[in-house]
Amino acid sequence: SYINCKNVDYSSKRTETFYDIQLNIKGKKNIYESFKDYIQVEILDGDNRYDAGEYGLQDAEKGVIFASFPPVFYLHLMRFQYDPVTDSSVKFNDRFEFYDKINLDQYLKTKEETPADYILHAVLVHSGDNHGGHYVVFINPKGDGKWCKFDDDVVSRCPKEEAIEHNFGGNDGDENMMPIKQCTNAYMLVYIRDSELKNVLQEVTINDIPKELVERLQDEKRIETIRRKERNDLHIYTNIQVFLEDCFDSYLGIDLFDLEQPTFRTVKVKKNNNLEEVHQLLAETFKYQSNQIRIWPLIASKHDSLRPLYLDGEANALKTIQDLHDSSSTTWNIWLELVEPGVSSLIPFDKNKMSLIFFKLFIPEERLLVYCGYYFANYEAPIDSLVNIMNKRAGFDEDTKLAIYKETNKNEIEKITKLDDPLCEIIQSSTYGEILIYQKEELIKTYPCVMDHFKNICSQVYITFCDKLIPNDPGFTLGLPMWMLYHDMLQAVAERVSVDQRKLQIYFSVNGQKECPGEPIKNSYNGPIRDLITNNSYGKRYPKKFFYQEMHMSVDELESKKPVKIIWCGPKLKDEKEIILYLNKNDTSCNHFYEVLHDSVELSPEGSGKFRTLEIMSAKISKWFNPGIKMPDIATVFPAKYYRVEEVPKDELELSENELLVPVNHFSKEVYSTFGTPFLIKIIHEETLADVKERIVNKTGILDKELEKYKFAICQGVRANFIPDTHIMNLQDFKAPPTCKFFKTI
């Protein structure tokens, strides 16, 4: 880099080693124009003269000369730039062309021994805006034009066009239509000098790879080998899903355990293992002796449930797992009976004389079904012989009278009226585990009985409600009758979250990669819940999900409104934010728009209380609408255009004949390279630029030191006439269209 004074014999030079440079892309067509811009001579004069020490401030030329180019050249494309007004960065999505082969000889001070021919090796791409996005890299590994795409952990071959042309950025669609900016574009390029290609891309040896990376790759390879082996061994192994009595004890429903969300432990065994081997393996896994566990396969019963079936361990000891369960199933479900603490071995089970009975106690005061263990009952014994055991398990007195119920069909039960009947006449099979449900007889008159409870349980659906405004909110779940009306459900949710029911909006959920809020449920609907949800083909009621949101007005009122999204700008331009206005659907007047806006934003105490709307396109103010002027339909603007609403400062509300509002836009080097947040400023006839700059400081909050870095120009079309602080403003300079006032970063 160098600085040469024009009028005195003084210069400053500095030689630097580099491997990367930053290229300006705003207003540049391609990579060659950016290189030309990079070495362009800058004139330092006027207020920007160079401090030449003993010679004082001097007019000078400042620039960069390339003495040589590196073997690997990193080109950082400046798609992000700082905007001091909003104190944030902005992204340029302009079209910028680059090529797989370039020659840079013309940018060297003197040509080198070998031509400065470069091959494109990598393209780093960003999709998104300045707030975030996704990164992808395209690599030409051998420099032969065969490209690969690296997208997270997925590496794939891709055509050259996808790596290069598709990442130029720019506009989509017909040039005659409103352009839509592409947010996917290259932000860094890696070039390798053609003469150094073989040296740079030489074969990598094991000694070139860091030890830590080798170890990591070996670990990943080992894990992948294990997974591949597991996939290949799927036909050899099967999984045993082991249910313990703990999962019966924790389930408060009408079955033994939750069929839709079961809790079990998985044990992997070979399909050709026999029952004796599996029995021993399970004993070792759960740390019991062999005589302290018993395997009960779980099979489908007529109640559309899984119930334990007796399996004779001795008679089937040599049978393989493949022979003992359905070969079409990849898992074998079993209940593993374990010995009680303090007991040395399990009680023998005689399948010819005994029945496996499970007890569930109904507590009507709490509407709970509680698991009370199991019992091997004599098949010929009467039902009332079990009453003492039931009372003992429930903690009741021995002489407590019980009402006992049996299952008759899926989700249906009936009361056993003859307790002196033998068990064999009551239950359906001695080999299946049957459930008997009981409660205190004396409570039937006071509380709903277990049959009423079953009817409610069978008609229930479990719905999870998540806060729409909280990402990944786990929400809460309510069990509600499917015949419940929508507004009753709304009331239940409103009470749970402590909000006004009238302001609570419920949304459907949309199933995708992850569930997200969908369309709102109309407040006019008051049908049953069952019409809002869908069951699967098997009729099982899986948990459903809705989203909710507390609105700032009643939902009835909200449904009569039309939402309109605008950008609101507060007293300081940094206060810019997006808000949604709810306008009456039948009132399109300008007065109504501003009335709603007045109630939705916080105005400045020093402000006028009046609003104006600015039409902004490509970071330039194209027109504005003063209070009372009819605006276009904001809801139907083009994507590249947006409207910003702001409060009119008092000193800009009524202008005299020698005052004029002028748009201030930001540009970098070229007038059409606009960026950032434009704004309006008042110009007074025959005042100086210094006076205007003082007004700009008050309006934007830019520090004086920061303002010194900017040049100001009066622009007509693409011509910029730079002016000093002493320049006298003439309103005629701004009245000849198309005329705007800009300031730019140096």
Side-chain angles (χ1 to χ4, degrees):
S1 59
Y2 67 88
I3 298 178
N4 294 329
C5 294
K6 288 185 175 182
N7 303 319
V8 297
D9 186 15
Y10 186 88
S11 63
S12 173
K13 296 180 181 180
R14 183 172 61 179
T15 302
E16 299 175 271
T17 301
F18 70 96
Y19 289 95
D20 65 280
I21 61 172
Q22 295 182 334
L23 293 180
N24 179 32
I25 60 109
K26 187 67 177 175
K28 304 296 178 287
K29 180 181 178 182
N30 55 41
I31 195 170
Y32 292 118
E33 289 190 6
S34 290
F35 265 98
K36 185 178 179 181
D37 175 73
Y38 194 88
I39 63 172
Q40 185 177 6
V41 176
E42 181 181 358
I43 304 299
L44 305 179
D45 58 6
D47 293 338
N48 195 34
R49 288 182 295 173
Y50 175 63
D51 185 357
E54 60 181 295
Y55 295 104
L57 296 177
Q58 295 289 330
D59 292 345
E61 294 179 342
K62 178 183 177 181
V64 172
I65 296 175
F66 288 112
S68 63
F69 286 128
V72 180
F73 210 166
Y74 296 88
L75 305 180
H76 179 200
L77 310 183
M78 296 175 63
R79 289 199 175 272
F80 294 90
Q81 189 163 332
Y82 174 70
D83 179 9
V85 175
T86 59
D87 193 26
S88 63
S89 65
V90 292
K91 183 184 178 185
F92 301 138
N93 290 308
D94 303 50
R95 181 179 177 85
F96 180 79
E97 298 179 4
F98 52 91
Y99 313 104
D100 58 339
K101 295 180 180 181
I102 58 174
N103 178 273
L104 303 178
D105 282 336
Q106 58 182 309
Y107 309 110
L108 285 167
K109 182 180 180 181
T110 57
K111 288 189 177 181
E112 299 179 90
E113 293 182 2
T114 57
D117 292 327
Y118 280 85
I119 303 292
L120 184 59
H121 176 62
V123 180
L124 283 68
V125 174
H126 176 261
S127 296
D129 56 20
N130 56 300
H131 299 295
H134 184 63
Y135 291 90
V136 173
V137 62
F138 296 88
I139 298 180
N140 178 15
K142 297 183 178 180
D144 55 1
K146 296 179 180 179
W147 288 84
C148 296
K149 179 180 180 181
F150 291 73
D151 188 352
D152 290 338
D153 60 345
V154 178
V155 181
S156 58
R157 285 283 187 186
C158 68
K160 184 177 75 170
E161 292 77 13
E162 184 180 356
I164 301 178
E165 285 87 347
H166 291 184
N167 297 307
F168 286 167
N171 301 329
D172 265 350
D174 192 337
E175 293 182 357
N176 297 320
M177 300 293 289
M178 184 61 64
I180 301 175
K181 289 287 185 181
Q182 276 276 25
C183 65
T184 299
N185 36 58
Y187 71 96
M188 181 169 283
L189 309 173
V190 181
Y191 281 92
I192 299 177
R193 196 159 184 158
D194 192 44
S195 58
E196 295 288 336
L197 199 63
K198 292 183 179 179
N199 183 42
V200 173
L201 299 181
Q202 59 182 293
E203 290 293 327
V204 178
T205 66
I206 192 65
N207 295 327
D208 297 324
I209 304 175
K211 179 183 176 183
E212 295 78 9
L213 182 57
V214 173
E215 292 175 353
R216 177 175 174 175
L217 292 174
Q218 288 175 344
D219 288 341
E220 291 180 357
K221 187 175 181 179
R222 185 174 63 256
I223 293 172
E224 179 58 31
T225 301
I226 294 172
R227 289 176 178 171
R228 189 183 299 112
K229 187 176 185 302
E230 289 176 348
R231 290 194 295 269
N232 294 336
D233 291 346
L234 281 177
H235 67 288
I236 300 175
Y237 290 89
T238 190
N239 288 326
I240 301 179
Q241 293 182 166
V242 182
F243 293 80
L244 302 178
E245 199 175 5
D246 290 346
C247 73
F248 303 165
D249 192 41
S250 61
Y251 183 57
L252 305 179
I254 61 178
D255 217 321
L256 283 178
F257 55 88
D258 190 345
L259 293 175
E260 296 179 8
Q261 295 179 321
T263 303
F264 53 81
R265 290 180 60 179
T266 301
V267 178
K268 187 177 180 180
V269 299
K270 288 185 177 181
K271 292 181 179 180
N272 59 5
N273 283 142
N274 60 39
L275 182 61
E276 185 177 1
E277 292 170 336
V278 172
H279 189 280
Q280 184 61 36
L281 175 62
L282 291 173
E284 293 173 359
T285 301
F286 291 91
K287 297 179 171 52
Y288 282 86
Q289 300 296 323
S290 293
N291 63 342
Q292 295 179 328
I293 68 170
R294 183 157 39 223
I295 296 174
W296 295 78
L298 293 171
I299 66 169
S301 70
K302 65 175 291 184
H303 307 305
D304 194 22
S305 176
L306 292 177
R307 294 296 165 80
L309 172 69
Y310 177 70
L311 177 65
D312 191 330
E314 292 183 4
N316 296 284
L318 299 180
K319 288 186 177 181
T320 65
I321 299 302
Q322 195 167 5
D323 296 332
L324 291 173
H325 85 104
D326 184 2
S327 59
S328 63
S329 175
T330 57
T331 60
W332 190 34
N333 298 315
I334 68 167
W335 167 46
L336 189 63
E337 182 188 0
L338 304 176
V339 71
E340 293 183 3
V343 180
S344 60
S345 62
L346 290 172
I347 300 173
F349 180 82
D350 187 346
K351 67 176 182 178
N352 297 317
K353 297 181 179 180
M354 293 180 174
S355 295
L356 171 62
I357 305 295
F358 292 96
F359 298 128
K360 299 206 83 169
L361 170 67
F362 178 60
I363 306 174
E365 305 96 310
E366 302 178 25
R367 296 185 181 183
L368 287 179
L369 275 172
V370 180
Y371 176 73
C372 290
Y374 64 96
Y375 183 72
F376 296 151
N378 190 306
Y379 198 56
E380 301 292 337
I383 292 293
D384 57 10
S385 67
L386 301 175
V387 171
N388 287 339
I389 298 169
M390 291 180 176
N391 280 328
K392 185 178 180 180
R393 297 278 178 91
F396 299 157
D397 294 335
E398 290 184 3
D399 57 350
T400 301
K401 292 186 178 180
L402 302 176
I404 304 175
Y405 303 82
K406 68 172 183 176
E407 294 177 282
T408 57
N409 212 329
K410 179 183 178 182
N411 298 328
E412 293 181 5
I413 63 171
E414 68 177 14
K415 188 176 181 180
I416 301 174
T417 56
K418 296 180 180 180
L419 298 183
D420 55 351
D421 283 350
L423 193 63
C424 60
E425 295 183 11
I426 303 298
I427 64 174
Q428 300 178 13
S429 172
S430 62
T431 55
Y432 285 94
E434 295 286 343
I435 298 177
L436 291 181
I437 302 166
Y438 63 100
Q439 70 174 108
K440 286 184 178 180
E441 181 80 47
E442 62 187 38
L443 297 178
I444 293 178
K445 296 180 180 179
T446 311
Y447 297 97
C449 70
V450 67
M451 294 180 67
D452 296 328
H453 178 70
F454 258 59
K455 290 178 182 178
N456 287 333
I457 289 290
C458 295
S459 67
Q460 269 193 342
V461 61
Y462 293 93
I463 302 177
T464 299
F465 297 90
C466 302
D467 193 326
K468 180 175 179 281
L469 302 181
I470 301 177
N472 302 317
D473 178 33
F476 59 90
T477 301
L478 297 179
L480 304 171
M482 295 199 6
W483 41 260
M484 176 182 272
L485 298 179
Y486 170 69
H487 280 266
D488 294 330
M489 180 187 80
L490 201 63
Q491 182 180 355
V493 177
E495 291 175 356
R496 177 63 182 263
V497 298
S498 302
V499 301
D500 187 344
Q501 177 183 340
R502 294 169 299 176
K503 296 183 178 180
L504 190 65
Q505 177 68 68
I506 304 294
Y507 298 83
F508 289 106
S509 63
V510 177
N511 289 319
Q513 196 164 10
K514 71 175 185 177
E515 286 186 293
C516 58
E519 291 293 320
I521 300 175
K522 295 292 184 183
N523 203 51
S524 56
Y525 174 78
N526 198 27
I529 295 175
R530 66 169 178 265
D531 293 340
L532 298 176
I533 61 178
T534 55
N535 290 351
N536 70 349
S537 58
Y538 297 98
K540 295 182 180 178
R541 299 188 308 279
Y542 287 96
K544 309 298 176 184
K545 180 180 285 188
F546 288 135
F547 290 85
Y548 67 89
Q549 180 182 356
E550 182 182 6
M551 313 306 287
H552 67 285
M553 66 177 73
S554 72
V555 177
D556 268 339
E557 183 182 0
L558 189 66
E559 289 181 355
S560 67
K561 306 287 186 181
K562 176 179 68 173
V564 174
K565 187 184 296 184
I566 65 165
I567 302 297
W568 165 253
C569 191
K572 296 295 182 183
L573 295 178
K574 294 180 182 178
D575 301 333
E576 194 175 88
K577 64 179 180 180
E578 182 181 278
I579 62 173
I580 297 177
L581 302 180
Y582 294 91
L583 308 178
N584 292 336
K585 291 181 178 179
N586 299 324
D587 192 343
T588 59
S589 68
C590 187
N591 288 338
H592 174 59
F593 173 82
Y594 285 127
E595 285 173 5
V596 175
L597 178 64
H598 188 279
D599 296 333
S600 304
V601 297
E602 184 177 347
L603 301 180
S604 171
E606 299 82 20
S608 64
K610 302 292 184 179
F611 303 100
R612 67 181 171 214
T613 303
L614 283 66
E615 181 183 278
I616 298 174
M617 194 169 187
S618 300
K620 291 182 287 189
I621 299 174
S622 53
K623 64 178 74 170
W624 63 91
F625 307 88
N626 287 320
I629 298 178
K630 176 68 176 176
M631 301 174 299
D633 187 355
I634 292 180
T636 58
V637 298
F638 291 104
K641 181 195 300 182
Y642 73 93
Y643 288 89
R644 191 180 78 206
V645 184
E646 61 188 24
E647 184 180 8
V648 182
K650 285 183 178 179
D651 65 331
E652 296 180 7
L653 190 59
E654 293 185 5
L655 302 178
S656 61
E657 292 183 358
N658 67 333
E659 295 176 338
L660 186 68
L661 282 182
V662 174
V664 181
N665 303 324
H666 309 243
F667 73 93
S668 176
K669 295 190 177 180
E670 304 294 342
V671 171
Y672 49 78
S673 301
T674 50
F675 68 95
T677 304
F679 56 91
L680 294 173
I681 199 70
K682 183 175 71 175
I683 301 293
I684 303 175
H685 187 60
E686 294 187 346
E687 70 175 338
T688 64
L689 174 61
D691 297 326
V692 180
K693 288 171 69 174
E694 184 177 345
R695 205 172 294 122
I696 289 175
V697 169
N698 294 333
K699 186 161 193 170
T700 64
I702 298 177
L703 299 177
D704 290 338
K705 289 185 178 179
E706 189 70 26
L707 195 65
E708 292 175 0
K709 300 178 181 178
Y710 300 103
K711 287 182 178 180
F712 287 78
I714 298 174
C715 302
Q716 291 186 341
V718 295
R719 298 196 308 273
N721 178 29
F722 289 94
I723 56 176
D725 286 357
T726 55
H727 178 82
I728 304 298
M729 296 295 177
N730 186 336
L731 297 190
Q732 293 302 318
D733 294 338
F734 301 97
K735 290 182 178 179
T739 302
C740 299
K741 179 183 181 298
F742 294 76
F743 70 81
K744 80 161 192 175
T745 306
I746 298 177

